[in-house]
Amino acid sequence: MPKKTFRLAGEEVEQLEKKIRKHRRKIVRVILLLSVLALIAAGSLYYIYETKTYVDFQVLESAEREDSAGTMFAEFNGNILKYSNDGAFYIDAGNRLIWNQTYEMQSPILDICEGYVAIAEQNGKTIYIMDVSGPCGEIQTNRPIRQVHVANQGMVTVLMEEEGTGYIQLYDKEGNFLAEGELNSKNSGYPLDISISNDGKKMAVAMLDPNEGNIKTTVAFYNFGSVGQNEIDNIVSSYPYGDVVIPKIEFLTNDIAVAFGDTKLIIYEGSQKPVVKKEMEIGQEIRSIFYNHHYIGLVFEKENSQQSYAAEIYDFNGKKIRTFEFTMEYDAIEFLENDEVCIRNNLECTIYTLRGTQRFHYNFEKNIYKIIHGIGRRYIFLMDGTTDKVMLK
């Protein structure tokens, strides 16, 4: 009986292992090649998607809607809030009613924070608080209301004015009184604007002091948590600005606030005691401001031009990330939910991406009141009498 030879078997195993390794390397190369091709294809499609301009749209669904005169619209938690002098109606894109709040107001003003909304009568004394499920509470103030702000847990801050003195009151979401403060024009200045952080713990106040013939605006930050309890009047930081008027201040996130002045733009940051993060000199008159939770937008009239505008987009570090020009006369400019910039008047709309590419332009035959972004090329157009779900084409 012949002896078994293991040498040949070992060589065969070694050859087999080499073939397996070679085959595996080939599979890896194929997978890498296919991955690269897929990335290139995806990048190409994304580039085409981002740079293509659409000039028409297809109506996918349309729902008839009846509105009273002067109705205004806002996006609220994925649905539509329409409000007017005689009430607020929370509806979906199919015009199905989720809840309503009736009232009689000459000039309703509104503020939204995440899942809560507050509606007040400017120069009146009534405030209604609602969440996504319906009405939560009602507030009756003892002085005329100038502004109202709501936080993400339903707390409401009210700025009131009487005989030249400003008053700030805080209420919970059921309308129960929590606290009050006074802003006397002789001591602290005239309150131009207030804003509260999303969690309701911090408040920013811009106060104008015209004493001694020199205009000065002071921005003060209040903290209503444990940190502010150790400070006089809960003021945790304060910044004076000579020869500057700051008519607008806003918390854009829980820890980022921005003061919009006539010659300055100031960005503050801080979870407890906001400090100046960036101070920017503005060399020309601002025509419009717009913002969201990611970016700040400013619109200027171009020099030596009566019909051309420049929009500048900044991040929260004060870095300019985009400038684009347009000639369309507009009534509103705002960021959409996907950070696109929507410019519109009653019968015309232009949408720009953050790349500065004109994504969409259209001249409508009937009034358009609001545009809400959906997914991809899908949008909701709130037209005169209808709510249309559309796809750009």
Side-chain angles (χ1 to χ4, degrees):
M1 183 176 179
K3 295 181 179 180
K4 294 182 179 180
T5 304
F6 293 97
R7 183 179 179 183
L8 181 60
E11 290 176 354
E12 290 177 347
V13 170
E14 184 177 350
Q15 290 297 323
L16 180 61
E17 289 177 347
K18 287 182 179 179
K19 289 181 180 180
I20 291 173
R21 287 195 296 269
K22 184 177 179 180
H23 182 65
R24 285 175 176 173
R25 286 195 294 268
K26 184 177 180 180
I27 292 175
V28 170
R29 286 196 295 269
V30 171
I31 292 174
L32 288 175
L33 178 61
L34 292 175
S35 299
V36 170
L37 291 175
L39 288 173
I40 293 173
S44 299
L45 291 173
Y46 179 76
Y47 179 78
I48 293 171
Y49 173 79
E50 283 291 305
T51 58
K52 183 176 180 179
T53 298
Y54 299 90
V55 295
D56 202 356
F57 59 90
Q58 175 188 357
V59 177
L60 305 176
E61 296 180 33
S62 184
E64 293 187 359
R65 196 187 65 249
E66 292 185 3
D67 307 320
S68 58
T71 296
M72 293 170 283
F73 300 88
E75 190 275 336
F76 178 42
N77 209 55
N79 290 302
I80 301 161
L81 182 66
K82 67 174 190 175
Y83 62 104
S84 62
N85 293 359
D86 53 8
F89 299 84
Y90 188 42
I91 58 176
D92 63 16
N95 200 37
R96 290 176 286 269
L97 182 66
I98 301 172
W99 55 254
N100 72 292
Q101 173 66 67
T102 59
Y103 54 72
E104 292 292 334
M105 295 183 182
Q106 294 297 317
S107 181
I109 54 176
L110 171 144
D111 189 57
I112 292 174
C113 183
E114 299 180 14
Y116 283 89
V117 58
I119 299 178
E121 182 173 17
Q122 191 165 39
N123 297 320
K125 298 181 179 181
T126 304
I127 304 169
Y128 294 93
I129 310 164
M130 288 78 65
D131 64 11
V132 293
S133 300
C136 299
E138 180 180 340
I139 300 169
Q140 293 294 328
T141 67
N142 54 2
R143 300 179 182 91
I145 298 167
R146 275 189 55 197
Q147 295 181 30
V148 62
H149 298 272
V150 64
N152 62 13
Q153 79 287 79
M155 189 185 79
V156 172
T157 303
V158 190
L159 174 62
M160 300 168 293
E161 182 184 350
E162 190 173 61
E163 297 180 354
T165 298
Y167 300 88
I168 296 175
Q169 292 183 345
L170 278 67
Y171 297 84
D172 65 17
K173 66 180 181 181
E174 285 83 24
N176 300 310
F177 176 80
L178 298 176
E180 180 180 40
E182 180 179 322
L183 299 174
N184 191 296
S185 59
K186 293 182 180 180
N187 300 325
S188 54
Y190 181 80
L192 295 175
D193 196 29
I194 68 170
S195 181
I196 61 173
S197 58
N198 289 8
D199 60 10
K201 293 182 179 180
K202 298 184 294 294
M203 180 175 67
V205 181
M207 294 168 289
L208 180 67
D209 184 4
N211 293 331
E212 300 178 0
N214 297 318
I215 292 177
K216 181 181 75 173
T217 302
T218 298
V219 173
F221 289 95
Y222 296 73
N223 187 308
F224 301 113
S226 58
V227 173
Q229 292 177 5
N230 300 320
E231 306 291 342
I232 299 175
D233 296 330
N234 293 87
I235 298 176
V236 292
S237 56
S238 180
Y239 303 94
Y241 299 97
D243 297 323
V244 178
V245 178
I246 299 177
K248 182 67 177 175
I249 189 164
E250 188 74 23
F251 272 99
L252 303 189
T253 72
N254 201 53
D255 300 330
I256 296 287
V258 179
F260 298 90
D262 56 350
T263 60
K264 289 180 183 290
L265 180 72
I266 309 110
I267 302 172
Y268 307 89
E269 184 176 27
S271 59
Q272 300 294 339
K273 299 181 178 182
V275 297
V276 175
K277 183 177 184 180
K278 182 75 172 181
E279 187 172 321
M280 303 160 51
E281 296 289 338
I282 306 298
Q284 55 183 313
E285 182 179 353
I286 300 173
R287 189 180 193 270
S288 303
I289 63 172
F290 56 106
Y291 45 81
N292 64 4
H293 299 315
H294 305 108
Y295 301 102
I296 303 163
L298 307 177
V299 180
F300 305 94
E301 290 189 14
K302 290 199 67 181
E303 295 182 1
N304 304 319
S305 175
Q306 297 296 320
Q307 297 179 332
S308 183
Y309 306 101
E312 298 181 354
I313 311 298
Y314 296 85
D315 64 18
F316 290 165
N317 293 315
K319 179 183 177 182
K320 185 191 299 184
I321 63 170
R322 189 65 57 198
T323 298
F324 58 87
E325 299 178 4
F326 61 97
T327 58
M328 185 182 119
E329 291 297 325
Y330 64 97
D331 299 323
I333 180 168
E334 61 185 351
F335 285 108
L336 298 181
E337 291 71 24
N338 61 345
D339 294 331
E340 291 176 339
V341 178
C342 178
I343 308 167
R344 59 179 173 81
N345 55 41
N346 286 343
L347 296 172
E348 189 176 5
C349 170
T350 303
I351 297 175
Y352 288 91
T353 70
L354 284 180
R355 291 176 175 266
T357 302
Q358 186 182 96
R359 180 165 174 76
F360 174 70
H361 180 263
Y362 197 80
N363 289 286
F364 298 91
E365 295 182 355
K366 60 180 182 179
N367 287 346
I368 182 165
Y369 302 130
K370 182 77 174 175
I371 291 179
I372 300 172
H373 179 256
I375 300 174
R377 292 186 288 136
R378 296 173 183 258
Y379 294 76
I380 296 174
F381 288 176
L382 294 171
M383 310 292 296
D384 186 11
T386 62
T387 301
D388 298 337
K389 289 184 177 180
V390 308
M391 177 177 286
L392 304 186
K393 66 177 187 177

